[in-house]
Amino acid sequence: MLPIESGLEIVMSTAAAKNRPDRMPAEAVALLDSMHRILREDVLSDEDSPRFDKAIRDGFAVRFEDLQQVPTELVVVGESRAGAAADVHVDRGRCCEIMTGAPLPVGANAVVMVEHTERITPGKVRILKTARENEGLLRRGAEARKGERILSSGKRIGLADLGLLAGTGKSKVLVSSKPCVAVIATGDELVDVDDTPQPGQIRNSNTYTICAQVRDAGAEPVVLGIGRDNLEDLRKKIEQGLRHDILIVSGGVSMGKYDLVEKVFAELGVEVLFDKIAMKPGKPTVFGHRGETFVFGLPGNPISTMVSFHVFVRPLILSLLKAADTKPEILDAKLEAPAKCDPERAALVPALVRFDAGQYRIRTAPWKGSSDLAGLARANALIMIPRREGNLEAGDTAQFLLME
Ligand code: AMP
Ligand code: MG
């Protein structure tokens, strides 16, 4: 059995070999639609940011040298508000009323918060606290200089990035076009969500979770329905799926008599690069390719499918999208209770993590195995238990993946 890291290396090197520069070409999308897409251009600041010296407090623009002794009284020579600068010069002994976001008048070098002042008359104010030079203001270009790179190609666009793009005038953004991912669920026991299962049947949940994971990774799912556990039906569906960038088949890859997916992969010329990973859940994970199409057979149990997708499929999608960062985020936590290791397989186990006293603390969540979605729904992380003898002990550091 292949360790997880070796399996992932095979997936990523296969992706790199088939990921020509013109695969998943860049497309221009409206700013709002660029959220969570992979940026395909370096973005430069169109101007200094801020564009002018500006107040970041409501109060009075002063010369800090005037405030050596407080309280002190200053003459108010004007008002500068956001969108309407005051055409005044702040000399010694003078100040200018100013609002957050307003341009700093010439001569001023600090802004005193209104809370630290007392208006005496319309033309006079008493300042109650001293200020340091440049306090209460932001100098032109303090955040970014005109022409400075503020975002790099390959970044997954997040909320701050979206705001930054808006601020620099990008109404259209170049992002990677989305790979199409064909999704086939397999099993004679499966019925659609709207149907009522008869004895021995269950509803198909994997199609939904896989499609959601595909979307979240930045690709476009194409639902090909349920393939039944016979060669003819699987051939038809898998042949169809092989016309997409990626094909994901869930179920039918274990050792059962009716697990026929690998047989059909072989018949249809899919070159399988691995079909067993030393991982729990997710052992019978299959990866291969045919022509330009990447092919996955994921174990059918709902949690196995999710975990296998997260570990192997998501990084491949991100690599096709030319994302700078393809790896899942792994964090450290302090174990609150012992966890049993498996010498055969690394385990990814539903867990409860919380942030307390400056660090993550984690313990495994009660669950009934790789079909227990209810157990997983009560958890908020997957703890990674290394493949070895013995236990992880309370107090040990363990790694985990955060789940939404
Ligand atoms: P398999 O990998 O086909 O042997 O399936 C393993 C387990 O996962 C069985 O209990 C299946 O009934 C269940 N399963 C397979 N596919 C799905 C699916 N699409 N939705 C929910 N459960 C599934
Ligand atoms: Mg099955």
Side-chain angles (χ1 to χ4, degrees):
M1 272 193 294
L2 214 54
I4 297 175
E5 306 74 48
S6 314
L8 188 56
E9 239 173 72
I10 292 174
V11 170
M12 296 310 268
S13 58
T14 310
K18 291 181 188 292
N19 197 0
R20 300 177 317 269
D22 58 337
R23 189 161 186 180
M24 303 349 297
E27 60 175 344
V29 297
L31 175 58
L32 187 54
D33 297 329
S34 72
M35 185 66 177
H36 290 158
R37 304 282 300 264
I38 303 296
L39 186 64
R40 281 291 284 280
E41 58 180 327
D42 288 339
V43 177
L44 311 183
S45 188
D46 71 328
E47 278 285 352
D48 284 346
S49 175
R51 281 156 206 256
F52 44 83
D53 296 347
K54 73 166 185 187
I56 54 172
R57 300 276 183 270
D58 295 314
F60 291 86
V62 299
R63 298 182 69 119
F64 84 100
E65 301 91 334
D66 283 340
L67 313 185
Q68 308 288 0
Q69 302 283 325
V70 285
T72 186
E73 288 175 16
L74 299 175
V75 175
V76 182
V77 294
E79 177 192 280
S80 180
R81 57 198 185 96
D87 187 17
V88 297
H89 194 284
V90 173
D91 296 312
R92 293 295 301 258
R94 291 156 185 268
C95 68
C96 179
E97 193 170 5
I98 197 163
M99 319 299 151
T100 299
L104 190 75
V106 184
N109 55 16
V111 172
V112 181
M113 284 165 75
V114 69
E115 291 87 333
H116 298 150
T117 68
E118 268 171 21
R119 194 69 171 241
I120 308 165
T121 64
K124 253 197 167 163
V125 67
R126 183 176 294 128
I127 310 288
L128 306 173
K129 270 188 90 173
T130 59
R132 281 170 286 112
E133 189 173 11
N134 292 330
E135 192 173 328
L137 61 91
L138 215 50
R139 291 290 180 189
R140 173 178 179 159
E143 294 163 348
R145 287 287 179 192
K146 178 175 181 169
E148 183 179 332
R149 182 164 61 189
I150 46 176
L151 291 172
S152 297
S153 185
K155 180 148 199 223
R156 184 172 193 254
I157 296 171
L159 201 50
D161 305 321
L162 199 77
L164 203 50
L165 288 163
T168 204
K170 297 282 292 178
S171 57
K172 287 269 195 295
V173 185
L174 276 184
V175 298
S176 292
S177 51
K178 296 180 180 183
C180 287
V181 182
V183 179
I184 303 172
T186 72
D188 283 343
E189 75 280 31
L190 301 179
V191 300
D192 282 328
V193 174
D194 287 328
D195 294 338
T196 305
Q198 300 303 308
Q201 296 184 323
I202 59 167
R203 292 197 179 91
N204 166 22
S205 62
N206 288 352
T207 293
Y208 295 89
T209 57
I210 293 171
C211 287
Q213 285 181 293
V214 165
R215 276 198 192 147
D216 188 61
E220 190 65 42
V222 179
V223 176
L224 297 185
I226 297 170
R228 299 304 173 188
D229 292 321
N230 64 75
L231 290 172
E232 199 185 344
D233 202 31
L234 289 176
R235 271 185 208 123
K236 210 165 68 197
K237 288 251 158 40
I238 289 172
E239 184 68 81
Q240 213 181 332
L242 285 167
R243 293 181 208 132
H244 298 77
D245 292 298
I246 300 172
L247 165 62
I248 301 175
V249 182
S250 96
V253 286
S254 310
M255 301 304 286
K257 197 168 154 194
Y258 299 99
D259 290 329
L260 303 171
V261 169
E262 273 198 89
K263 189 171 158 69
V264 176
F265 281 170
E267 273 184 28
L268 296 178
V270 174
E271 186 184 342
V272 169
L273 300 177
F274 62 75
D275 67 356
K276 247 166 226 65
I277 294 288
M279 173 168 129
K280 189 163 85 175
K283 177 169 135 188
T285 295
V286 181
F287 173 67
H289 57 98
R290 191 187 82 173
E292 296 292 283
T293 304
F294 304 96
V295 181
F296 288 94
L298 305 183
N301 261 315
I303 297 174
S304 317
T305 302
M306 278 181 207
V307 170
S308 269
F309 183 104
H310 199 76
V311 172
F312 297 109
V313 189
R314 184 182 165 90
L316 181 133
I317 291 174
L318 288 170
S319 151
L320 280 187
L321 291 169
K322 299 173 174 62
D325 214 351
T326 58
K327 291 203 178 80
E329 192 181 7
I330 295 172
L331 299 166
D332 283 343
K334 209 183 183 86
L335 259 186
E336 294 186 299
K340 200 170 165 2
C341 299
D342 182 329
E344 299 278 302
R345 293 192 279 164
L348 286 147
V349 177
L352 284 157
V353 69
R354 65 196 170 89
F355 198 76
D356 183 40
Q359 65 176 325
Y360 287 111
R361 293 165 193 276
I362 199 165
R363 64 196 150 86
T364 54
W367 73 312
K368 305 265 178 319
S370 51
S371 64
D372 185 10
L373 283 171
L376 184 66
R378 286 189 295 266
N380 61 0
L382 288 171
I383 185 169
M384 300 165 72
I385 305 197
R387 168 190 184 179
R388 65 170 171 81
E389 303 281 348
N391 284 334
L392 287 181
E393 302 299 341
D396 283 355
T397 298
Q399 296 191 309
F400 71 97
L401 301 166
L402 264 183
M403 298 189 307
E404 284 159 321

